[in-house]
Amino acid sequence: MDPCPFVRLTVGNLALKIPVASKAARSVIHPSSSPCFCKIKLKNFPVYTAVVPFLPPESQNVEVQTLAATFHMSKSDLDRLVAKSLFAGKLSLKISIFTGRRGSSCGLSSGKLLAEVTVPLNLAGTESKACVFHNGWVTVGKDANKSSSSAQFHLNVKAEPDPRFVFQFDGEPVCSPQVFQIQGNIRQPVFTCKFSFRSTTAGDRNQRSRSLPPDISGSRKWLSSFGSDRERPGKERKGWSVTVHDLSGSPVAAASMVTPFVASPGSDRVSRSNPGCWLILRPGDGTWKPWGRLEAWRERGAHDGLGYRFELIPDSAAAGIVLAESTLSLNKGGRFMIDLGAGAGNGGSGRKSNMASPVCSPRGSGDFGYGLWPYCAYKGFVMAATVEGEGKRGKAMMVEVSVQHVNCTEDAAAFVALSAAIDLSIDACRLFSQKLRKELCQPQEL
């Protein structure tokens, strides 16, 4: 089945050049002492905020190869934006440049507006062909007509096709649902999921009727090297797992809770200092091999959040490579995303996204610096999954996976298993003073 068309609109290579002025001129910006940032806006999408580095006035080349913002657009997003541009004027990207430090006080922005840049966009046809809307310098500020005393702002704005496979869970992972591939109005079953309780002791093994396949259950010693095998006192949630099967019934991926989700001493919550952990597994050489590791915990704050950290486990690497580390709302849910070219803001199809570039890698893609990070084949957008909040369980979860990261059934299944793990982490991080659903408290007979 063909993938769904998506477009990735990126804004990067930001830089600012300001003519040198004497320190006596108080009204003039001094690059050596004045920080600078910008806000990047696209109609009906969340706003990005990014730092804008200063360059010497005599500099001709931009050496800062970074990505400041990424907007992900599905076919429906494109159709809506193109339609609006026909009836409400040309669509444009707006960038407001500020001096001063980021933040706000009493609801007011702390930065001082320096200039605004508008880049016209024509997104028609970008789902099949890349388009560069701007790449270079533009004169900004009050003295824009005076080339000798005006500031200059550099940016790169481009749209590229980013086709993705879209999957939909036909129910919550705990209900052992089917997983469909979506292409337009067509829904085709591709996987089945089986939720189970992994046996942890001989007593548990005798009591529980549902478990992972024998080759997983028998790898207790191997699994314990990635998690915690010790008995923990107090409140805990442990032994959950999800196995993903293809249509022939063969297991092609799994998510296994290898470290219990335990309440911190004196509290009823899973803390960041002692997170629960899932291991994402793929079949290989007649056994199961670790592919990724997901840690999750409950963040404190005005609105509790699900903190998470996902790392890839390469075969030849001594340590995992962090691909995503962020937080999503436990109340409203959100969008779990692995995007190795994401800016430090919110993007996505009109929803808040929670994304982070790898901790050990540059923020960028292609001409934005990806060649500097040779340790991983994952580039650009990797995957995203919608996650419902604690009070909104039951809605079918959608998963998007970039075509460039799917070479076989097991590739797609691994991302499906990861999505199930992040969804179940919402329940695993529920306050221990609140009861879990019965499906998560005891094994269910088939």
Side-chain angles (χ1 to χ4, degrees):
M1 180 177 280
D2 294 332
C4 295
F6 277 77
V7 168
R8 177 183 176 90
L9 178 70
T10 56
V11 182
N13 294 4
L14 303 184
L16 185 66
K17 291 196 301 186
I18 297 177
V20 177
S22 65
K23 290 288 183 178
R26 295 186 178 181
S27 61
V28 178
I29 299 168
H30 300 283
S32 61
S33 60
S34 300
C36 188
F37 66 96
C38 70
K39 292 185 177 180
I40 304 169
K41 303 176 183 179
L42 179 63
K43 192 174 183 65
N44 294 331
F45 284 82
V47 177
Y48 277 85
T49 301
V51 173
V52 180
F54 284 109
L55 292 182
E58 65 277 8
S59 175
Q60 297 298 321
N61 297 322
V62 180
E63 298 179 356
V64 183
Q65 302 290 313
T66 58
L67 189 58
T70 304
F71 299 94
H72 303 275
M73 299 175 226
S74 65
K75 185 63 166 63
S76 60
D77 293 327
L78 288 172
D79 291 342
R80 185 179 67 252
L81 289 171
V82 170
K84 285 188 175 181
S85 66
L86 292 175
F87 297 100
K90 291 186 177 180
L91 180 68
S92 62
L93 182 78
K94 295 184 179 180
I95 303 175
S96 301
I97 308 167
F98 297 86
T99 59
R101 300 192 180 279
R102 286 183 292 176
S104 60
S105 178
C106 301
L108 300 176
S109 174
S110 59
K112 180 180 179 181
L113 181 64
L114 171 66
E116 291 186 337
V117 175
T118 300
V119 180
L121 302 177
N122 181 5
L123 297 174
T126 52
E127 67 270 25
S128 58
K129 183 179 180 181
C131 180
V132 177
F133 299 106
H134 185 90
N135 183 33
W137 294 96
V138 58
T139 303
V140 298
K142 296 180 180 179
D143 299 323
N145 295 325
K146 303 176 182 179
S147 59
S148 60
S149 60
S150 60
Q152 289 186 300
F153 181 66
H154 189 281
L155 73 160
N156 176 290
V157 181
K158 63 180 180 180
E160 299 172 288
D162 189 16
R164 304 173 187 179
F165 293 109
V166 179
F167 303 98
Q168 182 180 40
F169 283 69
D170 191 28
E172 297 179 66
V174 69
C175 299
S176 299
Q178 275 192 310
V179 179
F180 293 86
Q181 184 180 354
I182 308 299
Q183 212 286 324
N185 296 323
I186 302 174
R187 297 173 78 242
Q188 177 178 326
V190 289
F191 301 116
T192 58
C193 291
K194 180 182 178 183
F195 175 79
S196 58
F197 290 82
R198 179 169 52 82
S199 299
T200 55
T201 66
D204 289 337
R205 203 171 288 116
N206 293 332
Q207 295 176 12
R208 299 187 179 188
S209 60
R210 300 177 68 193
S211 63
L212 285 174
D215 52 345
I216 296 183
S217 298
S219 303
R220 182 64 179 158
K221 182 178 179 180
W222 178 82
L223 285 171
S224 66
S225 65
F226 289 91
S228 174
D229 196 36
R230 67 184 184 274
E231 290 298 320
R232 301 192 181 200
K235 305 171 182 177
E236 62 179 17
R237 292 161 185 153
K238 62 182 179 179
W240 301 357
S241 62
V242 174
T243 308
V244 181
H245 300 262
D246 61 19
L247 294 183
S248 69
S250 301
V252 286
S256 179
M257 187 187 288
V258 293
T259 299
F261 284 71
V262 180
S264 297
S267 76
D268 61 351
R269 65 175 59 224
V270 180
S271 68
R272 184 188 186 102
S273 61
N274 192 24
C277 176
W278 297 84
L279 200 62
I280 312 302
L281 307 165
R282 294 183 55 166
D285 299 328
T287 184
W288 288 90
K289 292 186 175 181
W291 172 73
R293 175 188 175 100
L294 174 69
E295 292 182 335
W297 59 90
R298 192 178 185 100
E299 292 278 14
R300 289 183 178 273
H303 302 285
D304 284 0
L306 178 76
Y308 61 82
R309 174 186 173 95
F310 175 72
E311 62 182 21
L312 197 69
I313 305 176
D315 292 335
S316 59
I321 301 171
V322 178
L323 297 189
E325 185 171 9
S326 192
T327 305
L328 58 83
S329 171
L330 278 168
N331 180 38
K332 297 180 180 179
R335 189 167 165 88
F336 170 81
M337 183 178 288
I338 301 176
D339 187 344
L340 308 188
N346 297 326
S349 301
R351 293 162 291 188
K352 182 178 180 181
S353 65
N354 303 276
M355 46 194 161
S357 291
V359 171
C360 59
S361 76
R363 293 179 181 270
S365 71
D367 58 336
F368 294 119
Y370 259 127
L372 303 176
W373 190 46
Y375 308 109
C376 180
Y378 293 95
K379 299 178 180 180
F381 172 83
V382 178
M383 64 88 67
T386 57
V387 181
E388 293 294 303
E390 290 178 328
K392 300 179 180 180
R393 313 301 283 159
K395 187 176 180 180
M397 181 167 54
M398 301 292 293
V399 181
E400 299 167 9
V401 183
S402 174
V403 168
Q404 65 176 327
H405 300 306
V406 177
N407 297 313
C408 60
T409 300
E410 288 80 3
D411 289 341
F415 290 111
V416 169
L418 173 59
S419 301
I422 195 71
D423 185 85
L424 286 167
S425 293
I426 295 284
D427 290 298
C429 288
R430 194 176 183 87
L431 294 174
F432 280 84
S433 58
Q434 301 174 353
K435 290 185 178 180
L436 287 179
R437 293 171 291 170
K438 63 179 182 179
E439 295 89 350
L440 293 166
C441 296
Q442 59 186 6
Q444 300 296 302
E445 297 291 340
L446 290 174

